[in-house]
Amino acid sequence: MFYGITPKSRLMLGTAQYPSPRVLGDAIAASEAEIITVSLRREGAGGAGFRDLIKASGCRLLPNTAGCHSAREAVTTAQMARELFGTNWIKLEVIGHADTLQPDPFALVEAARILCADGFEVFPYTTEDLILGEKLVEAGCQVLMPWGAPIGSGQGLRHEDALRTMRAHFPDVPLVIDAGIGAPSQAAKAMEMGFDAVLLNTAVAKAGDPVTMARAFAGAVQAGRLAHEAGLMGQRDMAVASTPIFGMAALS
């Protein structure tokens, strides 16, 4: 699914803002996630204790360039992450707007080209814009990570029609909904729409009970994927009786 790796879980989990290392570890286990992210700039890699914790989780690490506002910053941060964590995987974030944290499309493509040429396997945080997606794929990205809504907003899938169009436009590219998911029902919706995975952080980390919430998201993502694979019924304008009239006994 992702650069030759096919994880069993379609839930990817962020590691920031948890109330304690113990809660983080328990939440990772409850989520059943096999891929977790860490921000090198915002967390300073968390120190040796944090690195030991994520290593003990057994998960594959996806470092990210959160907090970067230029292609140069993002490339430098990615190179530091590769040296520190020993992986070519990088979640590429280049922020262009301070309030919405919307990515800068021009700097994002520039950084993606540089990193892909340097042997990185890039997971770009992007919008649902089709042209931007095409440019990222042309740059060498084999995965796209469109936002559901602004990071940390909990608004869910704000532009469902655009996301459905993106899914149809890139049938052979793994698409991961990244950012804005606030409830398990929203994650299930993304999976029902045919997205390949969901990446979230705040909805679990800031929950009253992060461990239970992580478990809820694990179930929701699995249920949504199963529903997509089974095939959802279409919507109708009128009611249709579930029990046919033909063949029923006539009582008199």
Side-chain angles (χ1 to χ4, degrees), residues 24-37:
L24 170 58
D26 290 346
I28 292 172
S31 73
E32 302 179 9
E34 297 171 62
I35 299 171
I36 57 177
T37 67

Side-chain angles (χ1 to χ4, degrees), residues 53-200:
L53 187 155
I54 59 175
K55 184 177 181 179
S57 73
C59 295
R60 188 179 186 95
L61 189 63
L62 177 60
N64 69 43
T65 63
C68 292
H69 292 264
S70 70
R72 182 178 179 180
E73 278 186 296
V75 169
T76 300
T77 301
Q79 291 169 339
M80 292 171 60
R82 179 164 64 181
E83 183 175 341
L84 181 61
F85 296 110
T87 178
N88 286 326
W89 276 22
I90 193 73
K91 180 191 168 190
L92 178 61
E93 297 184 31
V94 187
I95 300 303
H97 193 277
D99 292 330
T100 65
L101 301 182
Q102 180 172 332
D104 178 333
F106 307 103
L108 182 65
V109 173
E110 180 186 354
R113 285 201 182 103
I114 295 170
L115 292 173
C116 288
D118 193 28
F120 282 89
E121 295 174 324
V122 179
F123 294 67
Y125 164 62
T126 181
T127 65
E128 61 279 286
D129 185 276
L130 301 184
I131 305 304
L132 176 54
E134 288 178 348
K135 295 295 183 184
L136 290 167
V137 171
E138 290 171 5
C141 300
Q142 298 180 25
V143 180
L144 296 175
M145 305 183 79
W147 65 349
I151 294 172
S153 68
Q155 296 177 21
L157 309 179
R158 281 208 309 184
H159 304 293
E160 286 190 25
D161 288 344
L163 288 169
R164 290 182 192 278
T165 299
M166 188 176 197
R167 176 69 282 180
H169 190 75
F170 296 101
D172 301 320
V173 177
L175 300 182
V176 180
I177 292 293
D178 176 20
I181 296 294
S185 58
Q186 297 165 355
K189 180 71 171 180
M191 300 307 296
E192 289 172 1
M193 291 167 60
F195 285 87
D196 296 280
V198 170
L199 171 58
L200 54 93

Side-chain angles (χ1 to χ4, degrees), residues 202-243:
T202 309
V204 171
K206 291 299 186 179
D209 182 344
V211 177
T212 299
M213 186 61 76
R215 190 173 297 115
F217 270 105
V221 167
Q222 183 180 28
R225 182 63 189 184
L226 286 173
H228 173 72
E229 292 175 349
L232 296 168
M233 67 171 286
Q235 294 184 359
R236 303 184 176 103
D237 292 332
M238 301 292 291
V240 177
S242 58
T243 303

